[in-house]
Structures are given as C-alpha cells and as structure tokens.
Amino acid sequence: MNPFKDNQLTDRLETAAKAREAMLDRYRSRPPADDPAVIARQAERQAVISAREERSRERETARIASEAAAAAELKAQRELEAAEQARLAAEKIERQAALVAEQKAARDARFAARKARARR
C-alpha cells in the first residue's frame, strides 16, 4: 500500500489544526510594538532606508551631471565641426575667386595679344 494514501481525513484535520495553533503561538509570542527592541529594529530599518535613498539621490545627481557633461561635450564638438565646415567653405570660395581672377587675367592677356597682332 502507498504510504501517502494512509492519511485519513482526521489525520489531515489534526495536522491543519496543529499548523494553525503553531501560527497563532508565533503571533502571540511577538513582542509588542512599544518594546525597545522592536523600536530599535525599526530605527535601524529606517536608517538603512534613508541611506539607500541618499545613495539613490547621489547616483541620480551623478547621472544627470554626467549627461550634462556629455551634452556639453557633444555641443562643443558640433560647434567645432561647424566652424571647420565654415572655414572649408570660405577657403573654397577664395579658391574659386582666385581661379576666376586667373582665368580672366589669361583671357585678357589673350585678348591683348590678339589686338596687338591685329595692329601690326
């Protein structure tokens, strides 16, 4: 016969009653709320909670500061890149102006040479 099936209804009821009684005994044996040990434990828990919240605030502050520094660095980098792009654009415009002036001088020289040949 299976030993797990020997458990009769009365056995199960007795086991449940003993378990309820044990829970009640544990509840009754608790110290009252105004006991100094209970108050000390609550104070310790509150101190741990306060310290945890303080560390959390410090981490959040550090995270915000880090994000602000990263944003400032990114902004500075973008400004530097924009200045570099502006410098390159100005150089390109200068080169184009110089090229146009060179081409005009060459064209004028050819024109003057043609005029000089025609006068002879």
Side-chain angles (χ1 to χ4, degrees), residues 25-118:
D25 288 340
R26 274 198 318 255
Y27 179 75
R28 289 182 190 136
S29 68
R30 284 183 15 190
D34 59 350
D35 187 33
V38 172
I39 293 172
R41 276 196 310 269
Q42 286 177 342
E44 287 175 13
R45 286 184 190 134
Q46 191 60 38
V48 168
I49 290 170
S50 298
R52 184 179 302 134
E53 289 173 352
E54 181 64 28
R55 286 191 307 268
S56 175
R57 280 192 296 272
E58 288 173 1
R59 280 192 304 269
E60 184 68 17
T61 303
R63 183 187 63 80
I64 290 171
S66 173
E67 287 177 357
E73 183 179 328
L74 183 62
K75 182 179 177 185
Q77 183 180 6
R78 285 184 180 165
E79 288 175 355
L80 213 109
E81 288 174 358
E84 181 66 17
Q85 290 294 329
R87 185 185 64 77
L88 291 175
E91 285 179 2
K92 183 177 179 182
I93 290 172
E94 288 176 14
R95 281 194 312 270
Q96 286 177 344
L99 180 65
V100 167
E102 217 177 277
Q103 288 173 346
K104 185 176 183 319
R107 192 173 45 243
D108 289 347
R110 283 192 314 266
F111 182 73
R114 200 171 43 229
K115 286 286 189 176
R117 276 193 311 259

Coordinates of all heavy atoms in Angstrom, one line a residue, residues 25-118:
D25 N 0.6 30.7 18.0 CA 1.6 30.8 19.0 C 2.8 31.7 18.6 O 3.2 32.5 19.4 CB 2.2 29.4 19.3 CG 1.2 28.6 20.1 OD1 0.3 29.1 20.7 OD2 1.4 27.3 20.1
R26 N 3.2 31.6 17.3 CA 4.2 32.5 16.9 C 3.7 34.0 16.9 O 4.5 34.9 17.3 CB 4.6 32.2 15.4 CG 5.7 31.1 15.3 CD 6.3 31.1 14.0 NE 5.4 31.2 12.9 CZ 5.0 30.2 12.0 NH1 5.5 29.0 12.2 NH2 4.2 30.5 11.1
Y27 N 2.5 34.2 16.5 CA 1.9 35.6 16.5 C 1.8 36.1 18.0 O 2.2 37.3 18.2 CB 0.5 35.6 15.9 CG -0.1 36.9 15.9 CD1 0.4 37.9 15.0 CD2 -1.1 37.2 16.7 CE1 -0.2 39.2 15.0 CE2 -1.7 38.5 16.8 CZ -1.2 39.5 15.9 OH -1.8 40.7 15.9
R28 N 1.4 35.3 18.9 CA 1.2 35.7 20.3 C 2.6 36.0 21.0 O 2.6 36.8 21.9 CB 0.4 34.7 21.0 CG -1.0 34.6 20.7 CD -1.8 33.6 21.5 NE -3.1 33.4 20.9 CZ -3.7 32.2 20.8 NH1 -3.0 31.1 21.1 NH2 -4.9 32.1 20.3
S29 N 3.6 35.2 20.5 CA 4.9 35.4 21.2 C 5.7 36.6 20.7 O 6.7 36.9 21.2 CB 5.7 34.1 20.9 OG 6.1 34.0 19.6
R30 N 5.1 37.3 19.7 CA 5.8 38.5 19.2 C 5.8 39.6 20.3 O 4.8 39.7 21.0 CB 5.1 39.1 18.0 CG 5.3 38.3 16.7 CD 4.6 38.9 15.5 NE 4.2 40.3 15.8 CZ 3.4 41.0 14.9 NH1 3.0 40.4 13.8 NH2 3.1 42.2 15.2
P31 N 6.9 40.4 20.3 CA 6.9 41.5 21.3 C 6.0 42.6 20.9 O 5.7 42.7 19.7 CB 8.4 41.9 21.3 CG 8.9 41.5 20.0 CD 8.1 40.3 19.6
P32 N 5.5 43.4 21.8 CA 4.5 44.4 21.5 C 5.3 45.5 20.7 O 6.5 45.6 20.7 CB 4.0 44.9 22.8 CG 5.1 44.5 23.8 CD 5.7 43.2 23.3
A33 N 4.5 46.4 20.1 CA 5.1 47.4 19.2 C 5.9 48.5 20.0 O 6.8 49.1 19.5 CB 4.0 48.2 18.5
D34 N 5.6 48.6 21.3 CA 6.3 49.6 22.1 C 7.5 49.0 22.8 O 8.1 49.7 23.7 CB 5.4 50.3 23.1 CG 4.7 49.3 24.1 OD1 4.9 48.1 23.9 OD2 4.1 49.8 25.1
D35 N 7.9 47.8 22.5 CA 9.1 47.2 23.1 C 10.3 47.9 22.5 O 10.4 48.2 21.4 CB 9.1 45.7 22.7 CG 10.2 44.9 23.4 OD1 10.5 45.3 24.5 OD2 10.7 44.0 22.7
P36 N 11.3 48.1 23.4 CA 12.5 48.8 23.0 C 13.3 48.1 21.8 O 13.8 48.7 20.9 CB 13.4 48.9 24.2 CG 12.5 48.7 25.3 CD 11.3 47.9 24.8
A37 N 13.3 46.8 21.8 CA 13.9 46.0 20.8 C 13.3 46.2 19.4 O 13.9 46.4 18.4 CB 14.0 44.5 21.1
V38 N 11.9 46.3 19.5 CA 11.2 46.5 18.2 C 11.4 47.9 17.7 O 11.7 48.1 16.5 CB 9.7 46.3 18.5 CG1 8.8 46.7 17.3 CG2 9.4 44.8 18.8
I39 N 11.4 48.9 18.6 CA 11.7 50.2 18.2 C 13.1 50.4 17.7 O 13.3 51.1 16.7 CB 11.5 51.2 19.5 CG1 10.0 51.2 19.8 CG2 11.9 52.6 19.1 CD1 9.6 51.9 21.1
A40 N 14.1 49.7 18.3 CA 15.4 49.8 17.8 C 15.5 49.2 16.4 O 16.2 49.7 15.5 CB 16.4 49.1 18.8
R41 N 14.9 48.0 16.2 CA 14.9 47.4 14.8 C 14.3 48.3 13.8 O 14.8 48.5 12.7 CB 14.2 46.1 14.9 CG 15.1 44.9 15.3 CD 14.5 43.6 15.0 NE 13.1 43.4 15.3 CZ 12.7 42.9 16.5 NH1 13.6 42.5 17.4 NH2 11.4 42.7 16.8
Q42 N 13.2 49.0 14.2 CA 12.5 49.9 13.2 C 13.4 51.1 12.9 O 13.5 51.5 11.8 CB 11.2 50.4 13.8 CG 10.1 49.4 13.8 CD 8.8 49.9 14.5 OE1 8.8 50.8 15.2 NE2 7.7 49.2 14.2
A43 N 14.1 51.6 13.9 CA 15.0 52.7 13.7 C 16.2 52.3 12.8 O 16.6 53.0 11.9 CB 15.6 53.2 15.0
E44 N 16.7 51.0 13.0 CA 17.7 50.5 12.1 C 17.2 50.4 10.7 O 17.9 50.8 9.7 CB 18.2 49.2 12.6 CG 19.1 49.2 13.8 CD 19.4 47.8 14.3 OE1 19.2 46.8 13.6 OE2 19.9 47.7 15.5
R45 N 16.1 49.9 10.5 CA 15.5 49.7 9.2 C 15.3 51.1 8.5 O 15.6 51.3 7.3 CB 14.1 49.0 9.2 CG 14.3 47.6 9.5 CD 12.9 46.9 9.5 NE 13.0 45.5 9.9 CZ 12.2 45.0 10.8 NH1 11.2 45.7 11.3 NH2 12.3 43.7 11.2
Q46 N 14.8 52.1 9.3 CA 14.6 53.4 8.8 C 16.0 54.0 8.4 O 16.0 54.7 7.4 CB 13.9 54.3 9.8 CG 13.4 55.6 9.2 CD 12.5 55.4 8.1 OE1 11.6 54.6 8.1 NE2 12.6 56.3 7.1
A47 N 17.0 53.8 9.2 CA 18.3 54.3 8.8 C 18.8 53.7 7.5 O 19.4 54.4 6.7 CB 19.3 54.1 10.0
V48 N 18.6 52.4 7.4 CA 19.0 51.7 6.1 C 18.3 52.3 5.0 O 18.9 52.6 3.9 CB 18.8 50.2 6.3 CG1 19.0 49.5 4.9 CG2 19.8 49.6 7.3
I49 N 17.0 52.5 5.1 CA 16.2 53.0 4.0 C 16.6 54.4 3.7 O 16.7 54.8 2.5 CB 14.7 53.0 4.4 CG1 14.1 51.6 4.5 CG2 13.8 53.9 3.5 CD1 12.8 51.4 5.1
S50 N 16.9 55.3 4.7 CA 17.4 56.6 4.5 C 18.7 56.6 3.7 O 18.9 57.4 2.8 CB 17.5 57.4 5.8 OG 16.3 57.5 6.4
A51 N 19.6 55.8 4.1 CA 20.9 55.7 3.5 C 20.7 55.2 2.0 O 21.4 55.7 1.1 CB 21.8 54.7 4.2
R52 N 19.9 54.3 1.8 CA 19.6 53.8 0.5 C 19.1 54.9 -0.4 O 19.5 55.1 -1.6 CB 18.7 52.6 0.5 CG 18.4 51.9 -0.8 CD 17.5 50.8 -0.7 NE 18.0 49.8 0.2 CZ 17.2 49.2 1.1 NH1 15.9 49.5 1.3 NH2 17.7 48.3 1.9
E53 N 18.1 55.6 0.1 CA 17.5 56.7 -0.7 C 18.6 57.8 -0.9 O 18.6 58.4 -2.0 CB 16.3 57.3 0.1 CG 15.1 56.4 0.1 CD 14.0 57.0 1.0 OE1 14.2 58.0 1.7 OE2 12.9 56.4 1.0
E54 N 19.4 58.1 0.0 CA 20.5 59.1 -0.2 C 21.5 58.6 -1.3 O 21.8 59.4 -2.2 CB 21.3 59.3 1.1 CG 22.4 60.3 1.0 CD 21.9 61.7 0.7 OE1 20.7 62.1 1.1 OE2 22.6 62.5 0.1
R55 N 21.9 57.4 -1.3 CA 22.7 56.8 -2.3 C 22.0 56.9 -3.7 O 22.7 57.2 -4.7 CB 23.1 55.4 -2.0 CG 24.2 55.3 -0.9 CD 24.7 53.9 -0.8 NE 23.7 52.8 -0.7 CZ 23.2 52.3 0.4 NH1 23.6 52.8 1.6 NH2 22.3 51.4 0.4
S56 N 20.7 56.6 -3.7 CA 20.0 56.7 -4.9 C 20.0 58.1 -5.5 O 20.2 58.4 -6.7 CB 18.6 56.2 -4.7 OG 17.8 56.4 -5.8
R57 N 19.8 59.1 -4.6 CA 19.8 60.5 -5.0 C 21.2 60.9 -5.5 O 21.3 61.6 -6.5 CB 19.4 61.4 -3.8 CG 17.9 61.5 -3.6 CD 17.5 62.6 -2.7 NE 18.1 62.4 -1.3 CZ 17.5 61.8 -0.3 NH1 16.3 61.2 -0.6 NH2 18.0 61.7 0.8
E58 N 22.2 60.4 -4.8 CA 23.6 60.8 -5.3 C 23.8 60.2 -6.7 O 24.4 60.8 -7.5 CB 24.6 60.2 -4.3 CG 24.6 61.0 -3.0 CD 25.5 60.3 -1.9 OE1 26.1 59.3 -2.2 OE2 25.6 60.9 -0.8
R59 N 23.4 58.9 -6.9 CA 23.6 58.3 -8.2 C 22.8 59.1 -9.3 O 23.3 59.3 -10.4 CB 23.1 56.8 -8.2 CG 24.1 55.9 -7.6 CD 23.8 54.4 -7.8 NE 22.4 54.1 -7.4 CZ 22.1 53.6 -6.2 NH1 23.1 53.4 -5.3 NH2 20.9 53.3 -5.9
E60 N 21.6 59.5 -8.9 CA 20.8 60.2 -9.9 C 21.5 61.6 -10.2 O 21.6 62.0 -11.4 CB 19.4 60.5 -9.3 CG 18.5 61.2 -10.3 CD 18.1 60.3 -11.5 OE1 18.3 59.1 -11.4 OE2 17.6 60.9 -12.5
T61 N 22.0 62.2 -9.2 CA 22.7 63.5 -9.4 C 23.9 63.3 -10.3 O 24.2 64.1 -11.2 CB 23.1 64.1 -8.0 OG1 21.9 64.3 -7.2 CG2 23.8 65.5 -8.2
A62 N 24.7 62.3 -10.0 CA 25.9 62.0 -10.8 C 25.5 61.6 -12.2 O 26.2 62.1 -13.1 CB 26.7 60.8 -10.1
R63 N 24.4 60.9 -12.4 CA 24.0 60.6 -13.7 C 23.6 61.8 -14.5 O 24.0 62.0 -15.7 CB 22.8 59.6 -13.7 CG 22.3 59.1 -15.1 CD 21.0 58.3 -15.0 NE 19.9 59.0 -14.5 CZ 19.2 59.9 -15.2 NH1 19.4 60.1 -16.4 NH2 18.2 60.5 -14.6
I64 N 22.8 62.7 -13.9 CA 22.4 63.9 -14.5 C 23.6 64.8 -14.9 O 23.7 65.4 -16.0 CB 21.4 64.7 -13.6 CG1 20.1 64.0 -13.5 CG2 21.2 66.1 -14.1 CD1 19.1 64.5 -12.5
A65 N 24.6 64.9 -13.9 CA 25.8 65.7 -14.2 C 26.6 65.0 -15.4 O 27.1 65.8 -16.2 CB 26.7 65.7 -12.9
S66 N 26.7 63.7 -15.4 CA 27.4 63.0 -16.5 C 26.7 63.3 -17.8 O 27.4 63.6 -18.8 CB 27.4 61.6 -16.2 OG 27.9 60.9 -17.3
E67 N 25.4 63.2 -17.8 CA 24.6 63.5 -19.1 C 24.8 65.0 -19.5 O 25.0 65.2 -20.7 CB 23.1 63.2 -18.9 CG 22.8 61.7 -18.8 CD 21.4 61.5 -18.5 OE1 20.6 62.4 -18.3 OE2 21.0 60.3 -18.5
A68 N 24.8 65.9 -18.6 CA 25.0 67.3 -18.9 C 26.4 67.5 -19.5 O 26.6 68.2 -20.4 CB 24.8 68.2 -17.7
A69 N 27.4 66.9 -18.9 CA 28.8 67.0 -19.4 C 28.9 66.4 -20.8 O 29.5 67.0 -21.7 CB 29.8 66.3 -18.4
A70 N 28.3 65.3 -21.0 CA 28.3 64.6 -22.3 C 27.6 65.5 -23.3 O 28.1 65.7 -24.5 CB 27.6 63.3 -22.3
A71 N 26.5 66.1 -22.9 CA 25.8 67.0 -23.9 C 26.6 68.2 -24.2 O 26.7 68.7 -25.3 CB 24.4 67.4 -23.2
A72 N 27.3 68.8 -23.2 CA 28.1 70.0 -23.4 C 29.3 69.6 -24.3 O 29.7 70.4 -25.2 CB 28.7 70.5 -22.1
E73 N 29.9 68.4 -24.1 CA 31.0 68.0 -25.0 C 30.5 67.8 -26.4 O 31.2 68.2 -27.4 CB 31.6 66.7 -24.4 CG 32.7 66.2 -25.2 CD 33.3 64.9 -24.6 OE1 33.2 64.7 -23.4 OE2 33.8 64.0 -25.4
L74 N 29.3 67.2 -26.6 CA 28.8 67.0 -27.9 C 28.5 68.3 -28.6 O 28.8 68.5 -29.8 CB 27.5 66.2 -27.8 CG 26.8 65.8 -29.1 CD1 27.7 64.9 -30.0 CD2 25.5 65.1 -28.8
K75 N 28.0 69.3 -27.8 CA 27.7 70.6 -28.4 C 29.0 71.3 -28.8 O 29.0 71.9 -29.9 CB 27.0 71.5 -27.3 CG 26.6 72.8 -27.8 CD 25.9 73.6 -26.8 CE 25.6 75.0 -27.3 NZ 25.0 75.9 -26.2
A76 N 30.0 71.2 -28.0 CA 31.3 71.8 -28.3 C 31.9 71.1 -29.6 O 32.4 71.8 -30.4 CB 32.3 71.7 -27.1
Q77 N 31.7 69.8 -29.7 CA 32.2 69.1 -30.8 C 31.5 69.5 -32.1 O 32.1 69.8 -33.1 CB 32.1 67.6 -30.6 CG 32.7 66.8 -31.7 CD 32.5 65.3 -31.5 OE1 31.9 64.9 -30.5 NE2 33.1 64.5 -32.3
R78 N 30.2 69.7 -32.0 CA 29.4 70.1 -33.1 C 29.7 71.5 -33.5 O 29.8 71.9 -34.7 CB 27.9 70.0 -32.8 CG 27.4 68.6 -32.8 CD 25.9 68.5 -32.6 NE 25.5 67.1 -32.6 CZ 24.3 66.7 -32.2 NH1 23.4 67.6 -31.7 NH2 24.0 65.5 -32.2
E79 N 30.0 72.4 -32.6 CA 30.4 73.8 -32.9 C 31.7 73.8 -33.6 O 31.9 74.6 -34.5 CB 30.4 74.6 -31.6 CG 29.0 75.0 -31.0 CD 29.1 75.7 -29.7 OE1 30.2 75.9 -29.2 OE2 28.0 76.1 -29.2
L80 N 32.6 72.9 -33.1 CA 33.9 72.9 -33.7 C 33.8 72.4 -35.2 O 34.5 72.9 -36.1 CB 34.8 71.9 -32.9 CG 36.3 72.2 -32.9 CD1 36.6 72.7 -31.5 CD2 37.1 71.0 -33.3
E81 N 33.0 71.4 -35.4 CA 32.8 70.8 -36.7 C 32.1 71.9 -37.6 O 32.5 72.0 -38.8 CB 31.9 69.6 -36.7 CG 32.6 68.4 -36.1 CD 31.6 67.2 -35.9 OE1 30.4 67.3 -36.2 OE2 32.1 66.1 -35.5
A82 N 31.2 72.7 -37.1 CA 30.5 73.7 -37.9 C 31.6 74.8 -38.2 O 31.6 75.3 -39.4 CB 29.4 74.4 -37.1
A83 N 32.4 75.2 -37.3 CA 33.5 76.2 -37.6 C 34.4 75.6 -38.7 O 34.8 76.4 -39.6 CB 34.2 76.5 -36.3
E84 N 34.8 74.4 -38.6 CA 35.6 73.8 -39.6 C 35.0 73.8 -41.0 O 35.6 74.1 -42.0 CB 36.0 72.3 -39.2 CG 36.9 71.6 -40.1 CD 38.3 72.2 -40.2 OE1 38.7 73.0 -39.3 OE2 39.0 71.9 -41.2
Q85 N 33.7 73.4 -41.0 CA 32.9 73.5 -42.3 C 32.9 74.9 -42.8 O 33.0 75.1 -44.0 CB 31.5 72.9 -42.1 CG 31.4 71.5 -41.8 CD 31.9 70.6 -43.0 OE1 31.7 71.0 -44.1 NE2 32.5 69.5 -42.7
A86 N 32.7 75.9 -42.0 CA 32.6 77.3 -42.4 C 34.0 77.7 -43.0 O 34.1 78.4 -44.0 CB 32.2 78.2 -41.3
R87 N 35.1 77.3 -42.3 CA 36.4 77.6 -42.8 C 36.7 76.9 -44.1 O 37.2 77.6 -45.0 CB 37.5 77.1 -41.8 CG 38.9 77.5 -42.1 CD 39.9 76.9 -41.2 NE 40.0 75.4 -41.2 CZ 40.6 74.7 -42.2 NH1 41.1 75.3 -43.2 NH2 40.6 73.4 -42.2
L88 N 36.3 75.7 -44.3 CA 36.5 75.0 -45.5 C 35.7 75.7 -46.7 O 36.2 75.8 -47.8 CB 36.1 73.5 -45.4 CG 37.1 72.7 -44.6 CD1 36.5 71.2 -44.4 CD2 38.4 72.6 -45.2
A89 N 34.5 76.1 -46.3 CA 33.6 76.8 -47.3 C 34.2 78.1 -47.7 O 34.3 78.4 -48.9 CB 32.2 77.0 -46.8
A90 N 34.8 78.8 -46.8 CA 35.4 80.1 -47.1 C 36.7 79.9 -47.9 O 36.9 80.6 -48.9 CB 35.8 80.8 -45.8
E91 N 37.5 78.8 -47.7 CA 38.6 78.5 -48.5 C 38.2 78.2 -49.9 O 38.9 78.6 -50.9 CB 39.4 77.4 -47.9 CG 40.2 77.8 -46.6 CD 41.0 76.6 -46.1 OE1 40.9 75.5 -46.6 OE2 41.7 76.8 -45.0
K92 N 37.1 77.4 -50.0 CA 36.7 77.0 -51.3 C 36.2 78.3 -52.1 O 36.6 78.4 -53.3 CB 35.5 76.0 -51.2 CG 35.0 75.5 -52.5 CD 33.9 74.5 -52.3 CE 33.4 74.0 -53.7 NZ 32.3 73.0 -53.5
I93 N 35.5 79.2 -51.5 CA 35.1 80.4 -52.2 C 36.3 81.2 -52.6 O 36.4 81.7 -53.7 CB 34.2 81.2 -51.2 CG1 32.8 80.5 -51.1 CG2 34.0 82.6 -51.8 CD1 31.9 81.1 -50.1
E94 N 37.3 81.3 -51.7 CA 38.6 82.0 -52.0 C 39.3 81.4 -53.2 O 39.7 82.1 -54.2 CB 39.5 82.1 -50.9 CG 39.1 83.0 -49.7 CD 40.0 82.9 -48.5 OE1 41.1 82.4 -48.6 OE2 39.6 83.4 -47.5
R95 N 39.4 80.1 -53.3 CA 40.0 79.4 -54.4 C 39.2 79.6 -55.7 O 39.8 79.8 -56.7 CB 40.1 77.9 -54.1 CG 41.2 77.5 -53.2 CD 41.4 76.0 -53.2 NE 40.2 75.1 -53.1 CZ 39.7 74.7 -51.9 NH1 40.3 75.1 -50.8 NH2 38.7 74.0 -51.9
Q96 N 37.9 79.6 -55.6 CA 37.1 79.8 -56.8 C 37.3 81.2 -57.3 O 37.4 81.5 -58.5 CB 35.6 79.5 -56.5 CG 35.3 78.0 -56.4 CD 33.8 77.8 -56.0 OE1 33.1 78.7 -55.6 NE2 33.4 76.6 -56.2
A97 N 37.3 82.2 -56.4 CA 37.5 83.6 -56.7 C 38.9 83.8 -57.4 O 39.1 84.5 -58.4 CB 37.4 84.5 -55.5
A98 N 39.9 83.1 -56.8 CA 41.3 83.2 -57.4 C 41.3 82.6 -58.8 O 42.0 83.1 -59.7 CB 42.3 82.5 -56.4
L99 N 40.6 81.5 -58.9 CA 40.6 80.8 -60.2 C 39.9 81.7 -61.3 O 40.4 81.8 -62.4 CB 39.9 79.4 -60.1 CG 39.7 78.6 -61.4 CD1 41.1 78.2 -61.9 CD2 38.9 77.4 -61.1
V100 N 38.8 82.3 -60.9 CA 38.1 83.1 -61.8 C 39.0 84.3 -62.2 O 39.0 84.7 -63.4 CB 36.7 83.6 -61.2 CG1 36.1 84.8 -62.0 CG2 35.8 82.5 -61.1
A101 N 39.7 84.9 -61.2 CA 40.6 86.0 -61.5 C 41.7 85.6 -62.4 O 42.1 86.3 -63.3 CB 41.1 86.6 -60.2
E102 N 42.2 84.4 -62.2 CA 43.3 83.9 -63.0 C 42.8 83.7 -64.5 O 43.5 84.0 -65.4 CB 43.8 82.5 -62.4 CG 45.2 82.2 -62.5 CD 45.5 80.9 -61.8 OE1 45.7 81.0 -60.6 OE2 45.6 79.9 -62.5
Q103 N 41.6 83.1 -64.6 CA 41.1 82.8 -65.9 C 40.8 84.2 -66.6 O 41.1 84.3 -67.8 CB 39.8 82.0 -65.8 CG 40.0 80.6 -65.4 CD 38.7 79.9 -65.1 OE1 37.6 80.5 -65.0 NE2 38.8 78.5 -65.0
K104 N 40.3 85.2 -65.9 CA 40.1 86.5 -66.5 C 41.4 87.1 -67.0 O 41.4 87.7 -68.0 CB 39.3 87.4 -65.5 CG 38.9 88.7 -66.1 CD 38.1 89.5 -65.1 CE 37.6 90.8 -65.6 NZ 38.4 91.6 -66.5
A105 N 42.4 87.0 -66.1 CA 43.7 87.6 -66.5 C 44.3 86.9 -67.7 O 44.8 87.6 -68.7 CB 44.7 87.4 -65.3
A106 N 44.1 85.6 -67.9 CA 44.6 84.8 -69.0 C 43.8 85.2 -70.2 O 44.3 85.4 -71.4 CB 44.5 83.3 -68.8
R107 N 42.5 85.4 -70.1 CA 41.6 85.8 -71.2 C 42.0 87.2 -71.7 O 42.1 87.5 -72.9 CB 40.1 85.7 -70.7 CG 39.2 85.8 -71.8 CD 37.7 85.6 -71.4 NE 37.4 86.3 -70.2 CZ 37.0 85.6 -69.0 NH1 37.0 84.3 -69.0 NH2 36.7 86.3 -68.0
D108 N 42.2 88.1 -70.7 CA 42.6 89.5 -71.0 C 43.9 89.5 -71.8 O 44.1 90.3 -72.7 CB 42.6 90.4 -69.8 CG 41.3 90.6 -69.2 OD1 40.3 90.4 -69.9 OD2 41.2 91.1 -68.0
A109 N 44.9 88.7 -71.3 CA 46.2 88.6 -72.0 C 46.0 88.1 -73.4 O 46.7 88.6 -74.3 CB 47.1 87.7 -71.2
R110 N 45.2 87.1 -73.6 CA 45.0 86.6 -75.0 C 44.3 87.7 -75.8 O 44.7 87.9 -77.0 CB 44.1 85.3 -74.9 CG 44.8 84.1 -74.5 CD 44.0 82.8 -74.8 NE 42.6 82.9 -74.3 CZ 42.1 82.5 -73.2 NH1 42.9 82.0 -72.3 NH2 40.9 82.6 -72.9
F111 N 43.4 88.4 -75.3 CA 42.7 89.4 -76.0 C 43.7 90.5 -76.4 O 43.7 91.0 -77.5 CB 41.5 90.0 -75.1 CG 40.7 91.0 -75.8 CD1 39.9 90.7 -76.8 CD2 40.9 92.4 -75.4 CE1 39.1 91.7 -77.5 CE2 40.1 93.4 -76.1 CZ 39.2 93.0 -77.1
A112 N 44.5 90.9 -75.4 CA 45.5 92.0 -75.7 C 46.5 91.5 -76.7 O 46.9 92.3 -77.6 CB 46.2 92.4 -74.4
A113 N 46.9 90.3 -76.7 CA 47.8 89.7 -77.7 C 47.2 89.7 -79.1 O 47.8 90.1 -80.1 CB 48.3 88.3 -77.3
R114 N 45.9 89.4 -79.1 CA 45.2 89.4 -80.4 C 45.1 90.8 -81.0 O 45.3 91.0 -82.1 CB 43.8 88.7 -80.2 CG 43.2 88.2 -81.4 CD 41.9 87.4 -81.2 NE 41.0 88.0 -80.2 CZ 40.5 87.2 -79.2 NH1 40.8 86.0 -79.1 NH2 39.7 87.8 -78.4
K115 N 44.8 91.7 -80.1 CA 44.7 93.1 -80.5 C 46.1 93.6 -81.0 O 46.1 94.4 -82.0 CB 44.2 94.0 -79.4 CG 42.8 93.9 -79.0 CD 42.0 94.6 -80.1 CE 40.5 94.6 -79.7 NZ 39.8 95.4 -80.6
A116 N 47.1 93.2 -80.3 CA 48.5 93.7 -80.7 C 48.8 93.1 -82.1 O 49.4 93.8 -82.9 CB 49.5 93.3 -79.7
R117 N 48.5 91.8 -82.3 CA 48.7 91.2 -83.6 C 47.9 91.9 -84.7 O 48.4 92.1 -85.8 CB 48.4 89.7 -83.6 CG 49.5 88.9 -83.0 CD 49.2 87.4 -83.3 NE 47.8 87.0 -82.9 CZ 47.5 86.3 -81.8 NH1 48.4 86.0 -80.9 NH2 46.3 86.0 -81.6
A118 N 46.7 92.3 -84.4 CA 45.9 92.9 -85.4 C 46.4 94.3 -85.7 O 46.2 94.8 -86.9 CB 44.4 93.0 -84.9

